[in-house]
Amino acid sequence: TNDQGPNFRVARISDLQFGEAKLEEYLAYDPIRYLSNIDLTANYLIANYKNNALPEIEIFKHFSKDHKKISFPYEAFTANSY
């Protein structure tokens, strides 16, 4: 959702409690990085960001604070998680 700014954030909600007041933040809004895409697997959420026009991939393990960031130092790189 982009309810807090143009760079997007990820929120979740129960299908039984639909409504904006019930959104639970999953990935916080980041004014520095543009969230361009997310992918979900059985165990991970994979977020694709642009940070100063450079690609970044961040991998989050579900229901855990564990995550790993992969940064690319040059504009010549393109990267996607799929």
Side-chain angles (χ1 to χ4, degrees):
T1 180
N2 65 346
D3 61 341
Q4 295 182 355
N7 287 350
F8 295 99
R9 69 184 181 118
V10 176
R12 60 184 172 184
I13 189 168
S14 166
D15 59 350
L16 301 175
Q17 298 177 327
F18 191 75
E20 197 169 309
K22 304 288 186 183
L23 290 177
E24 178 186 346
E25 188 162 83
Y26 196 78
L27 290 180
Y29 171 76
D30 186 339
I32 305 299
R33 300 187 303 168
Y34 175 73
L35 178 62
S36 60
N37 187 43
I38 61 169
D39 293 300
L40 294 171
T41 69
N43 297 311
Y44 298 95
L45 181 142
I46 305 156
N48 291 284
Y49 291 97
K50 290 289 186 180
N51 187 354
N52 275 340
L54 299 176
E56 285 183 353
I57 297 173
E58 201 157 358
I59 304 165
F60 299 87
K61 188 169 185 175
H62 290 312
F63 310 110
S64 171
K65 298 290 184 189
D66 294 340
H67 71 279
K68 181 174 182 162
K69 186 188 300 185
I70 304 168
S71 299
F72 298 87
Y74 304 106
E75 288 184 43
F77 290 107
T78 59
N80 288 302
S81 59
Y82 49 86

